Amino acid sequence: TAVSCDQCHNGNYSNTPNTCNGCHLPDYNGATNPNHVTAGFGTDCAQCHDETAWSPSSYDHSIYPLVGSHTAVSCDQCHNGNYNNTPNTCAGCHMTDFNGTTDPNHVTAQFSTDCLQCHDETAWEPSTFDHGSTQFPLSGEHVGVSCMACHANGYAGTPTSCESCHMPEYNGTTDPSHVAAGFPTDCAQCHDETGWGNTTFDHNSTDFPLTGSHMGVNCVACHANGYQGTPTNCDACHMADYNSTTSPNHVTAQFPVNCGDCHGVVAWTPAAFDHGSTGFPLVGQHVGVSCVECHATGYDNTPTACSACHMPDYNTASDPNHSSAQFPTDCAQCHTESGWTPSTFDHDGDHFPIYSGRHNGEWNTCADCHTNPNNYSVFTCIDCHQHDDPTEVNNDHSEVNGYTYTSSACFNCHPDGNN
């Protein structure tokens, strides 16, 4: 609209061309960005330009749509003065970037030259490479680790086993020493990716579950000699406790070394030994007695007879004198475990009524009748039942066959103490 007539007609108005190149061939030939001649562009300017201005050009880069960072790129950056057969692959322009990248080194890693597999057209970073699509998804402490930390030797055929990266940690661990213990190098059997400290090793899956006082014990307390073939029997760790125990003395008593027979894993005391399961349950005065009072000579074949412990009591008893009276040494015949007294000896039922009948309350001590303290089989009736004239008594009993004026004769006829 602002062009003078001569600019197009040049003083000749006959057969003036109406094509773009009729006037604009000098513009076509002089264009360098891009070079239209070299690029072999058509001379019909309207294919890319409109009549408002040369730029912006309306050329549709549909063969290779320009988006993201490509929108601001100069034509020559990709076409380099030649628009014929310009490649549309990433490597066509970006091999310099590919070859110069060191984190990771794309050449050494043998990455694909198709940049779109990991990058988009917005920017090189962040990369869209998804490590989770590989055989080694990154989680926990592995997130954020430098690529080179695992791929120092390249990205092709990188091993996924724990020891390929973590053998220094394995070899340097001392609590417990993984090398000495012969632990497997597959860290995932005991650890997770959250951190080394979160060990998932389950001791309860072994032959020796940890309960009670065993929980929290330092590993080397039991595994000082290693972790292979560690014994599970009590004496393997507790012989020092066994040997030093004095109440009772386990060595002298020849107790079994299987602590679990008497003790639980919570604490040594109280012991779970049940004396009631033996041939001698502890009741009455026997409860609370020190073990060594009965087991002074050991715990094997300890006798259960009363006399085994109580002969001193038997021998010193004077009311009555058990030894002289030739009482049986089975204390339980007359005594209970609650106490020596009262005795359950049944004088009335087994011998002569002194707690009932005519003799009840007529005596004070055993010696009233048993005048020989050394022999209770000797007794007297006559000492209490004296008669002024034994002859009269004799005459009264003249019809009694075998009668004599003796206490034993009285008892033979009067065993109940009555006339």
Side-chain angles (χ1 to χ4, degrees):
T1 58
V3 176
S4 71
C5 298
D6 276 348
Q7 283 184 266
C8 292
H9 295 283
N10 196 25
N12 182 6
Y13 289 82
S14 296
N15 299 317
T16 302
N18 60 1
T19 60
C20 295
N21 59 333
C23 283
H24 293 293
L25 201 57
D27 300 289
Y28 177 93
N29 292 328
T32 58
N33 184 32
N35 189 308
H36 289 32
V37 176
T38 304
F41 286 177
T43 56
D44 182 3
C45 305
Q47 289 184 6
C48 300
H49 303 275
D50 61 28
E51 294 176 289
T52 302
W54 288 122
S55 59
S57 168
S58 61
Y59 175 72
D60 182 6
H61 211 287
S62 59
I63 297 176
Y64 192 93
L66 301 180
V67 296
S69 292
H70 287 140
T71 57
V73 173
S74 160
C75 300
D76 275 347
Q77 283 184 262
C78 295
H79 295 285
N80 198 27
N82 182 5
Y83 289 78
N84 289 320
N85 302 315
T86 302
N88 60 3
T89 62
C90 299
C93 284
H94 293 294
M95 278 305 294
T96 302
D97 302 292
F98 181 92
N99 292 329
T101 301
T102 57
D103 185 21
N105 188 308
H106 288 32
V107 176
T108 305
Q110 300 177 1
F111 282 178
S112 166
T113 56
D114 181 5
C115 306
L116 285 174
Q117 288 189 9
C118 301
H119 305 276
D120 61 30
E121 293 176 290
T122 303
W124 289 120
E125 298 180 84
S127 168
T128 60
F129 175 70
D130 182 11
H131 214 289
S133 66
T134 70
Q135 294 179 344
F136 198 95
L138 299 182
S139 59
E141 292 293 315
H142 288 136
V143 175
V145 173
S146 166
C147 301
M148 297 300 291
C150 296
H151 297 287
N153 297 321
Y155 289 77
T158 303
T160 58
S161 58
C162 299
E163 72 269 16
S164 61
C165 282
H166 293 295
M167 279 306 291
E169 283 90 5
Y170 178 94
N171 292 328
T173 300
T174 58
D175 184 23
S177 171
H178 288 32
V179 175
F183 283 177
T185 55
D186 180 6
C187 309
Q189 289 191 15
C190 300
H191 303 276
D192 60 32
E193 294 176 290
T194 304
W196 291 121
N198 298 324
T199 177
T200 58
F201 175 70
D202 182 10
H203 211 290
N204 292 334
S205 65
T206 70
D207 292 334
F208 197 93
L210 298 183
T211 58
S213 292
H214 288 139
M215 296 175 64
V217 173
N218 188 285
C219 301
V220 294
C222 296
H223 296 287
N225 297 321
Y227 290 77
Q228 295 289 339
T230 303
T232 58
N233 49 302
C234 300
D235 55 296
C237 285
H238 293 294
M239 277 307 293
D241 302 290
Y242 178 95
N243 291 328
S244 62
T245 300
T246 58
S247 178
N249 188 306
H250 287 33
V251 176
T252 304
Q254 299 179 359
F255 281 178
V257 293
N258 181 21
C259 308
D261 284 357
C262 300
H263 303 277
V265 290
V266 175
W268 289 120
T269 56
F273 176 71
D274 182 12
H275 213 290
S277 64
T278 70
F280 197 93
L282 299 182
V283 296
Q285 294 295 319
H286 288 138
V287 175
V289 173
S290 169
C291 302
V292 294
E293 287 193 55
C294 297
H295 297 286
T297 58
Y299 288 77
D300 279 349
N301 301 315
T302 303
T304 58
C306 300
S307 56
C309 284
H310 293 293
M311 279 307 293
D313 302 291
Y314 178 93
N315 290 328
T316 57
S318 59
D319 185 23
N321 188 308
H322 288 33
S323 177
S324 299
Q326 299 179 1
F327 283 178
T329 56
D330 181 6
C331 308
Q333 290 191 15
C334 300
H335 303 277
T336 67
E337 292 174 291
S338 298
W340 290 122
T341 56
S343 167
T344 60
F345 177 70
D346 186 4
H347 202 292
D348 285 26
D350 295 336
H351 300 284
F352 187 81
I354 60 173
Y355 297 101
S356 62
R358 299 178 63 183
H359 287 84
N360 182 29
E362 297 298 329
W363 59 278
N364 294 312
T365 67
C366 300
D368 287 353
C369 297
H370 296 283
T371 55
N372 185 348
N374 295 318
N375 188 352
Y376 274 75
S377 63
V378 176
F379 60 91
T380 178
C381 297
I382 297 173
D383 286 358
C384 289
H385 297 287
Q386 293 181 5
H387 297 275
D388 293 335
D389 186 0
T391 303
E392 181 180 350
V393 177
N394 292 338
N395 291 334
D396 290 341
H397 292 79
S398 60
E399 75 280 5
V400 179
N401 186 29
Y403 162 77
T404 60
Y405 187 65
T406 63
S407 295
S408 59
C410 297
F411 181 72
N412 286 338
C413 289
H414 306 282
D416 57 359
N418 295 316
N419 291 333

